[in-house]
């Protein structure tokens, strides 16, 4: 950082632009040279990103950097304008939620993605109802599963009845329901887009511990957060984005909180 | 992350299930929107019944004839409302159901008559009314799908799409059949199935009840019902979780079209004829009433104002769907003019010339 005084200061993110790390082995999911345009606005500009086996990736960057755009792309609801995507080394498409579901990707969205007018149970099983073969729902089974989910996955404060409408919950409780839902259905990859923004300290600690446990069980995660200390508690690798591109990438053992913070602030 | 976390949830569920019937009912009224509607309905009924008991001669609410008419008038509107309700839950709206109601009924009646399904014929075809009905329902469903495609493909608000569609199907009805009313007296067994009675209970009410039960199960117990609520409640969330909103809304539009057609056919079978304007409001009825009394219908009619005032329908025709907003204004206007004419008449002025919108 502190450039030799006589020379023109080189701002670090711009020196090894193509930097990034090469994945070790075949990543679970790899995206190369991704471009996403909204009309004339370029939200992702040549973004490279990968998720390895059993790792937690911290995705950092200022607001508007394109983190949520990338997360939604991996969830299949925001297809790229151009670029290549590989799952376990095989080319694939992410054009719909069905594609990402097939790849075992589950997401906690930044904007929660719950329906206020529906009860907690119905929200958890929205689109994935437990039904008989004619499509009629098994309410008993959904309710008992919901109780297990709410009780075990993330400890959610003050939710006592899974039949309560989500609209009556507090912001943190809503976020907790969204987390519980994603955690229940997760398979290979869990994407967490600012999941702790409304959680209490206790709930946050619990979630971070849970993400670490998931890694042991073989589920990789991507954690989007503005709290670099949280990221340092759980992530194995950090990717810093700015203006739709990757500006810094390092493994935890090769970097420091100060360095990562500096890249987030200065770009 | 101990499993014991679930304990207090289990306790809460047990407490919810252990409530007495009264507290369950009160909670339902307090928390559910339909609870409030139910309370209001009961209050109105109580008021009417008390009124009927207090003034048995002037307010014959409890007379058998009135109850029969009430039940009959609920059925077509109710059947149509089931479809429209599903569509509204899914977050869209269909203004054209009234026009579709007439169009599909006219098609069903025309086909029935063409295939020799009129009960007045010797050896009338028993099958013809069913074929006519099937085609009418198919057209209603297909029309719903069409409305959905236009709305969703081009991202037009459904209010706008179906406002246009309303005029289109109104016009299609006139093009296909003209403005005259059409005889619709289907042969047996169709007549009994859709126009029979069990006591005061008309077949149309039984059909409404059957439809209501089916819709209850679809909305609250079938996967697609859950999707209707999800898409209508928060479309972004539904998309994020993998529900296809286009498909879901198309199904809702199709159900609405189907129910509008069914409503039109059942209402037509009950009154044995179909008015091309039947689903659209009261204009057609009013004009018919005037014509029956010898009014000249060349755009300007000279009428005895006492006649006119009496002919104006004060009670909504049970067989009709709700009239479009404009009709009410038109009616009020005509009624006011009629009142003024009557006053003039009583004061010895000659009746004014009245423009009718024939
Ligand atoms: N649907 C959209 N249409 C147009 N611009 C969008 C859309 N979604 C996101 N953007 C823009 O893309 C940029 C990146 O947004 P986002 O990925 O949400 O940022 P963040 O890194 O804060 O999550 C922002 O400038 C945002 O305004
Ligand atoms: Mg974001």
């Amino acid at each position: 950082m502190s450039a030799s005084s006589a020379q023109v200061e080189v701002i670090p993110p711009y020196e090894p632009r193509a930097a990034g790390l090469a994945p070790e082995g075949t990543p679970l999911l790899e995206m190369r040279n991704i471009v996403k345009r909204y009309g004339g606005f370029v939200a992702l500009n040549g973004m490279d990103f990968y998720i390895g086996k059993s790792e937690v990736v911290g995705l950092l960057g200022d607001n508007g950097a394109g983190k949520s755009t990338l997360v939604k792309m991996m969830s299949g609801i925001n297809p790229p304008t151009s670029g290549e995507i590989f799952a376990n080394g095989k080319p694939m498409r992410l054009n719909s939620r069905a594609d990402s579901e097939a790849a075992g990707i589950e997401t906690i969205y930044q904007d929660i993605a719950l329906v206020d007018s529906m009860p907690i149970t119905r929200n958890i099983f929205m689109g994935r109802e437990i039904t008989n073969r004619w499509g009629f729902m098994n309410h008993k089974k959904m309710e008992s599963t919901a109780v297990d989910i709410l009780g075990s996955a993330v400890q959610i404060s003050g939710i006592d009845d899974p039949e309560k409408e989500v609209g009556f919950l507090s912001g943190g409780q809503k976020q907790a329901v969204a987390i519980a839902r994603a955690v229940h259905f997760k398979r290979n990859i869990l994407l967490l887009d600012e999941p702790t923004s409304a959680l209490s300290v206790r709930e946050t600690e619990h979630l971070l511990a849970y993400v670490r446990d998931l890694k042991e069980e073989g589920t990789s995660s991507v954690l989007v957060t503005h709290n670099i200390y949280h990221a340092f508690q759980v992530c194995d690798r950090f990717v810093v984005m700015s203006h739709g591109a990757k500006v810094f990438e390092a493994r935890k053992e090769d970097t420091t909180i100060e360095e990562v913070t500096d890249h987030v602030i200065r770009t | 992350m101990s499993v014991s976390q679930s304990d207090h949830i289990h306790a809460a569920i047990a407490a919810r299930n252990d409530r007495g019937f009264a507290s369950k009912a009160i909670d339902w009224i307090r928390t559910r929107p339909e609870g409030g509607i139910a309370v209001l309905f009961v209050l109105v009924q109580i008021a009417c019944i008390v009124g009927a008991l207090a003034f048995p001669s002037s307010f014959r609410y409890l007379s058998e004839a009135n109850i029969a008419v009430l039940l009959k008038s609920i059925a077509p509107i109710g059947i149509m409302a089931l479809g429209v309700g599903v569509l509204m839950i899914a977050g869209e709206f269909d203004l054209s159901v009234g026009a579709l109601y007439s169009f599909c009924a006219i098609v069903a009646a025309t086909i029935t008559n063409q295939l020799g399904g009129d009960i007045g014929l010797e050896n009338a075809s028993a099958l013809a009314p069913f074929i006519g009905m099937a085609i009418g329902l198919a057209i209603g469903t297909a029309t719903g799908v069409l409305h959905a495609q236009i709305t969703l493909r081009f991202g037009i608000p459904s209010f706008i799409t179906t406002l246009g569609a309303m005029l289109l199907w109104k016009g299609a009805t006139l093009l296909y059949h003209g403005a005259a009313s059409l005889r619709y007296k289907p042969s047996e067994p169709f007549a009994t199935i859709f126009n029979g009675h069990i006591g005061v209970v008309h077949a149309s009410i039984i059909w409404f009840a059957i439809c209501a039960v089916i819709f209850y199960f679809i909305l609250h117990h079938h996967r697609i019902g859950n999707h209707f609520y999800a898409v209508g409640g928060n479309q972004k969330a539904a998309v994020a979780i993998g529900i296809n909103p286009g498909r879901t809304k198309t199904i809702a539009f199709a159900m609405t079209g189907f129910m509008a057609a069914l409503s039109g056919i059942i209402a037509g079978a009950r009154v044995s004829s179909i008015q091309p304007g039947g689903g659209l409001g009261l204009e057609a009825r009013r004009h018919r009433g005037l014509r029956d009394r010898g009014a000249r219908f060349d755009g300007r009619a000279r009428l005895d104002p006492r006649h006119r005032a009496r002919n104006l329908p004060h009670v909504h025709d049970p067989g009709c769907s709700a009239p479009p907003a404009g009709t009410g204004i038109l009616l009020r206007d005509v009624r006011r003019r009629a009142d003024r004419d009557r006053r003039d008449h009583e004061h010895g002025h000659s009746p004014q010339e009245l423009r009718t919108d024939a």
Side-chain angles (χ1 to χ4, degrees):
Chain A
M1 220 184 76
S2 56
S4 47
S5 49
Q7 288 177 345
V8 177
E9 190 188 18
V10 181
I11 300 168
Y14 293 106
E15 44 182 39
R17 178 60 203 264
L21 301 168
E24 294 166 8
T26 318
L28 283 177
L29 185 74
E30 184 172 11
M31 313 178 82
R32 286 191 208 144
N33 200 18
I34 297 291
V35 175
K36 175 70 189 183
R37 285 200 190 86
Y38 291 116
F41 180 78
V42 184
L44 290 179
N45 189 5
M47 180 71 194
D48 297 313
F49 189 74
Y50 72 90
I51 306 164
K53 292 196 176 73
S54 292
E55 75 167 344
V56 182
V57 186
L59 186 57
L60 310 170
D62 208 346
N63 279 324
K67 307 181 297 294
S68 295
T69 306
L70 185 64
V71 165
K72 283 190 219 152
M73 192 171 289
M74 291 188 277
S75 333
I77 61 171
N78 190 15
T81 310
S82 70
E84 296 168 292
I85 304 170
F86 303 88
N88 291 314
K90 288 191 214 65
M92 71 164 316
R93 291 165 169 281
L94 280 174
N95 290 341
S96 72
R97 178 69 190 107
D99 293 340
S100 67
E101 197 149 18
I105 299 172
E106 200 55 47
T107 311
I108 300 163
Y109 295 95
Q110 184 173 14
D111 51 11
I112 308 289
L114 296 176
V115 180
D116 277 355
S117 53
M118 289 166 79
I120 295 171
T121 307
R122 296 257 192 140
N123 263 289
I124 289 177
F125 289 98
M126 189 164 72
R128 286 178 286 214
E129 297 82 2
I130 301 176
T131 62
N132 65 15
R133 80 183 107 142
W134 293 286
F136 285 97
M137 297 185 281
N138 184 339
H139 295 291
K140 272 226 173 69
K141 192 156 176 208
M142 291 201 293
E143 182 174 285
S144 69
T145 314
V147 172
D148 291 344
I149 296 172
L150 293 174
S152 62
V154 226
Q155 293 180 355
I156 304 168
S157 325
I159 292 184
D160 49 6
D161 190 344
E163 283 309 302
K164 204 169 190 174
E165 274 182 24
V166 165
F168 295 131
L169 301 181
S170 76
Q173 288 175 329
K174 281 187 194 176
Q175 196 159 38
V177 170
I179 292 169
R181 174 175 66 187
V183 160
H184 176 69
F185 289 105
K186 56 115 200 10
R187 294 209 329 269
N188 302 336
I189 299 173
L190 182 63
L191 310 175
L192 306 96
D193 195 351
E194 301 193 24
T196 58
S197 57
L199 296 187
S200 70
V201 176
R202 185 186 64 77
E203 289 163 333
T204 302
E205 290 303 319
H206 199 90
L207 179 66
L208 296 178
Y210 185 77
V211 170
R212 270 195 302 265
D213 288 350
L214 276 186
K215 190 174 69 172
E216 308 305 318
E217 293 167 19
T219 298
S220 297
S221 307
V222 175
L223 177 65
V224 179
T225 180
H226 288 301
N227 190 322
I228 294 168
Y229 296 94
H230 288 166
F232 259 80
Q233 279 182 45
V234 291
C235 297
D236 303 309
R237 182 159 56 89
F238 302 96
V239 174
V240 179
M241 288 181 73
S242 175
H243 297 96
K246 181 159 69 183
V247 291
F248 179 75
E249 182 171 14
R251 299 199 167 282
K252 185 177 178 181
E253 53 270 24
D254 302 333
T255 187
T256 59
I257 290 193
E258 289 73 26
E259 191 185 20
V260 174
T261 308
D262 194 61
H263 281 90
V264 172
I265 293 171
R266 292 187 59 176
T267 52
Chain B
M1 57 185 63
S2 58
V3 185
S4 68
Q5 274 292 311
S6 298
D7 286 352
H8 76 285
I9 304 178
H10 283 298
I13 293 173
R16 167 160 58 81
N17 291 335
D18 282 350
R19 288 171 305 169
F21 178 78
S23 64
K24 264 185 192 166
I26 289 171
D27 286 350
W28 180 72
I29 289 167
R30 281 222 191 106
T31 55
R32 309 296 313 168
E34 60 266 32
I37 296 172
V39 168
L40 208 63
F41 177 76
V42 170
L43 287 180
V44 169
Q45 291 306 314
I46 289 174
C48 287
I49 290 169
V50 168
L53 294 176
F55 310 102
S57 56
S58 58
F59 187 61
R60 283 179 293 236
Y61 186 72
L62 291 176
S63 71
E64 195 173 311
N66 184 57
I67 290 172
V69 166
L70 268 183
L71 288 175
K72 277 181 197 166
S73 59
I74 290 169
I77 298 173
I79 290 170
M80 194 186 277
L82 288 172
V84 175
V86 162
L87 188 58
M88 285 170 77
I89 287 171
E92 299 288 343
F93 195 74
D94 196 335
L95 280 173
S96 70
V97 284
L100 214 50
Y101 162 106
S102 301
F103 182 67
C104 296
I106 287 277
V107 170
T110 308
I111 289 168
T112 302
N113 294 345
Q114 277 171 355
L115 295 178
D118 193 287
I119 201 163
L121 296 176
E122 280 174 49
N123 56 44
S125 160
L127 203 59
F130 292 100
I131 297 173
M133 182 177 192
I135 293 173
L137 294 176
I139 290 177
T141 312
T143 311
V145 172
L146 179 71
H147 294 169
Q149 293 308 312
I150 295 170
T151 303
L152 302 170
R153 285 271 148 90
F154 299 100
I156 305 168
S158 51
F159 191 84
I160 307 292
T161 337
T162 56
L163 185 67
M166 178 180 86
L167 298 172
L168 175 70
W169 298 116
K170 226 171 168 177
T173 309
L174 295 175
L175 186 71
Y176 180 69
H177 177 71
S181 71
L182 175 62
R183 179 183 156 94
Y184 186 41
K185 286 202 168 196
S187 57
E188 296 291 353
F190 189 94
T192 308
I193 295 175
F194 291 100
N195 199 18
H197 287 268
I198 303 177
V200 292
V201 181
H202 187 259
S204 60
I205 302 153
I206 296 168
W207 283 107
F208 172 44
I210 292 171
C211 292
V213 169
I214 293 173
F215 270 68
Y216 166 76
F217 276 101
I218 291 176
L219 268 181
H220 295 289
H221 295 286
H222 196 272
R223 184 197 295 138
I224 189 70
N226 214 35
H227 293 188
F228 289 149
Y229 277 103
V231 169
N234 182 351
Q235 177 156 342
K236 266 170 81 182
V239 171
I241 225 68
I243 295 172
N244 180 343
R247 184 175 155 274
T248 309
K249 287 186 172 179
T250 304
I251 293 173
F253 267 107
M255 286 169 80
T256 307
F258 180 92
M259 294 310 275
L262 183 65
S263 164
I265 292 166
I266 286 182
R270 179 163 76 74
V271 296
S272 305
S273 75
I274 292 165
Q275 275 73 44
L280 300 169
L282 301 167
E283 297 97 328
R285 273 173 56 81
R286 195 176 70 241
H287 292 164
R288 211 170 349 102
L290 295 172
R291 195 167 51 225
D292 291 348
R293 287 172 170 81
R296 279 192 299 125
F297 257 73
D298 52 2
R300 292 174 86 78
R302 189 183 289 272
L303 288 171
D304 183 318
R306 277 167 306 179
H307 239 154
R308 218 180 307 135
R310 201 175 335 119
N311 288 334
L312 290 170
H314 290 267
V315 181
H316 182 40
D317 171 22
C320 291
S321 73
T327 317
I329 298 167
L330 190 77
L331 260 180
R332 209 168 50 231
D333 190 44
V334 171
R335 201 173 291 156
R336 207 180 290 141
R337 263 191 288 174
D339 287 345
R340 196 185 55 219
D341 288 357
R342 190 174 47 227
R343 273 198 309 277
D344 291 351
H345 190 73
E346 281 157 6
H347 289 101
H349 301 289
S350 63
Q352 237 176 282
E353 273 206 323
L354 173 73
R355 257 188 77 94
T356 64
D357 49 342

